[in-house]
Amino acid sequence: MRLVRKDIEKDNAGQVTLVPEEPEDMWHTYNLVQAIDFDSQACQLRVKGTNIQENEYVKMGAYHTIELEPNRQFTLAKKQWDSVVLERIEQACDPAWSADVAAVVMQEGLAHICLVTPSMTLTRAKVEVNIPRKRKGNCSQHDRALERFYEQVVQAIQRHIHFDVVKCILVASPGFVREQFCDYMFQQAVKTDNKVLLENRSKFLQVHASSGHKYSLKEALCDPAVASRLSDTKAAGEVKALDDFYKMLQHEPDRAFYGLKQVEKANEAMAIDTLLISDELFRHQDVATRSRYVKLVDSVKENAGTVRIFSSLHVSGEQLSQLTGVAAILRFPVPELSDQEDDSSSEED
């Protein structure tokens, strides 16, 4: 998605001009616009409504339908842009949020941190450190410089890679550089209790590249092991979150709730660790109901919880919809809530 213009006032009223460029951008657009039909096969959106600006084709106030399609610019105005919609625009327009693959292409003293999207490769950081040659009987200068280089690469990885989006991080180099770097990175992660790196350790894949220059990334992407890893679905994170919820529901039911009222009460107790919510709830025709879901998302984030918004087009999103579309994994048990009658039947949209 390409953002052409964004004019939003302090009261959150305003308009944005966008150009959908990929099929997935049409799905983002579908979630931004109300009163709309989505043809997923043709990748077309049909917007229905009354005309508010007369022209030679349509009279003022006349009922009209227009079609939105890839590479057709449109401007969308809202009286109230909520946080969920604004975040969706930010993610749709930032290539980093569509990059399934990240790569660290390196050699001693030189590294490029790249993001790989379906249509482009973006260099997000370049790390260069002068590494003195090893001297006979004295390697201290070389080792200190190498450690400084490794540390800068680790910092760049944490700064530029969205671990909740990226499913594979290639570490490519000639020789043993990649092995030595990964050993250093995870040894430091253990020492500093860096949970982000430790929890995502399985995503790092070491492959050969002839140098630390960006053009060597092509060699790494052709590696059969890489192709195998990339066969996983983009929604793997959502699938795991839903699986975690079902396991919690089975083994610790006091820490797994679904249904809007139950989840809201758990949030009031600041108990939500992970909120699972379907994107179809943000398309609810009733503004008050839609705002209720947005408020829940904002509150969970403010309380340092994780929010996972599921696509209703994906199988995991369909499963979540069967649980009213909203569920939560709690930080600690809230037994008094589990004793209440489940209210899910009254909250389905």
Side-chain angles (χ1 to χ4, degrees):
M1 186 86 78
R2 179 160 54 89
L3 179 64
V4 178
R5 187 179 178 86
K6 181 179 177 182
D7 296 305
I8 297 178
E9 304 297 330
K10 291 182 179 179
D11 62 355
N12 281 342
Q15 62 185 37
V16 296
T17 301
L18 300 162
V19 179
E21 298 178 320
E22 304 286 340
E24 190 166 331
D25 293 339
M26 302 307 294
W27 176 245
H28 288 304
T29 304
Y30 174 55
N31 283 281
L32 298 176
V33 186
Q34 300 300 316
I36 195 168
D37 292 324
F38 181 37
D39 185 340
S40 59
Q41 298 300 316
C43 264
Q44 286 184 333
L45 299 168
R46 284 178 287 276
V47 184
K48 303 172 185 177
T50 53
N51 190 32
I52 61 171
Q53 185 174 338
E54 190 165 351
N55 58 63
E56 59 179 306
Y57 304 106
V58 186
K59 292 181 180 180
M60 177 82 98
Y63 191 76
H64 187 52
T65 301
I66 61 171
E67 288 189 348
L68 301 180
E69 55 192 9
N71 299 308
R72 183 178 183 182
Q73 180 174 304
F74 69 92
T75 298
L76 178 62
K78 287 180 181 282
K79 293 180 181 178
Q80 180 74 26
W81 288 87
D82 62 54
S83 61
V84 172
V85 171
L86 291 174
E87 184 176 5
R88 180 176 282 273
I89 290 176
E90 180 185 346
Q91 293 182 5
C93 295
D94 183 355
W97 286 98
S98 63
D100 280 339
V101 183
V104 182
V105 190
M106 63 192 310
Q107 63 190 51
E108 280 200 0
L110 174 66
H112 288 83
I113 286 77
C114 304
L115 298 175
V116 183
T117 75
S119 56
M120 68 184 89
T121 299
L122 303 166
T123 301
R124 279 301 168 101
K126 180 181 179 181
V127 179
E128 265 187 300
V129 172
N130 182 40
I131 310 289
R133 290 187 178 183
K134 289 183 179 179
R135 295 187 179 183
K136 194 173 182 179
N138 184 6
C139 300
S140 59
Q141 280 188 314
H142 172 274
D143 293 347
R144 282 198 300 269
L146 195 60
E147 186 170 321
R148 190 167 69 251
F149 167 63
Y150 286 163
E151 181 55 35
Q152 289 183 26
V153 175
V154 172
Q155 290 175 5
I157 287 172
Q158 294 182 103
R159 190 178 306 119
H160 296 287
I161 294 177
H162 294 291
F163 285 97
D164 52 347
V165 176
V166 168
K167 62 190 178 190
C168 183
I169 302 134
L170 307 179
V171 183
S173 78
F176 296 100
V177 176
R178 56 187 179 274
E179 290 96 334
Q180 292 166 357
F181 167 70
C182 287
D183 286 346
Y184 170 85
M185 176 169 59
F186 291 115
Q187 285 170 8
Q188 292 300 310
V190 171
K191 287 181 182 177
T192 60
D193 193 27
N194 188 321
K195 292 181 180 178
V196 173
L197 286 177
L198 294 174
E199 289 174 0
N200 289 279
R201 185 170 188 163
S202 62
K203 293 183 180 180
F204 286 83
L205 180 64
Q206 298 180 30
V207 292
H208 172 77
S210 56
S211 76
H213 294 279
K214 181 182 172 181
Y215 63 77
S216 296
L217 178 58
K218 186 177 180 182
E219 304 165 21
L221 291 173
C222 292
D223 190 300
V226 175
S228 173
R229 283 288 291 274
L230 300 188
S231 63
D232 296 336
T233 63
K234 187 177 181 184
E238 281 70 27
V239 172
K240 184 181 183 303
L242 193 61
D243 186 51
D244 289 344
F245 173 80
Y246 279 122
K247 286 179 181 176
M248 191 69 74
L249 191 63
Q250 182 178 2
H251 299 294
E252 293 186 67
D254 288 348
R255 290 181 56 200
F257 291 106
Y258 62 93
L260 181 56
K261 288 182 181 177
Q262 293 271 48
V263 171
E264 282 181 325
K265 287 176 181 176
N267 183 54
E268 287 171 9
M270 298 178 68
I272 296 180
D273 181 56
T274 304
L275 175 70
L276 292 67
I277 188 164
S278 170
D279 58 11
E280 67 181 351
L281 299 179
F282 303 111
R283 298 193 297 272
H284 203 288
Q285 293 301 311
D286 180 60
V287 175
T289 302
R290 195 163 66 243
S291 299
R292 194 172 164 188
Y293 290 118
V294 172
K295 184 179 178 181
L296 175 63
V297 167
D298 290 342
S299 180
V300 170
K301 288 182 178 178
E302 286 170 7
N303 293 330
T306 299
V307 176
R308 289 199 172 275
I309 298 178
F310 285 62
S311 169
S312 55
L313 280 185
H314 190 269
V315 63
S316 60
E318 293 174 1
Q319 286 181 292
L320 183 61
S321 294
Q322 294 172 7
L323 295 172
T324 75
V326 59
I329 300 171
L330 308 190
R331 297 186 176 106
F332 48 82
V334 186
E336 60 268 24
L337 284 182
S338 63
D339 293 335
Q340 297 176 13
E341 184 178 353
D342 179 63
D343 58 0
S344 61
S345 60
S346 64
E347 294 161 358
E348 291 182 357
D349 297 313

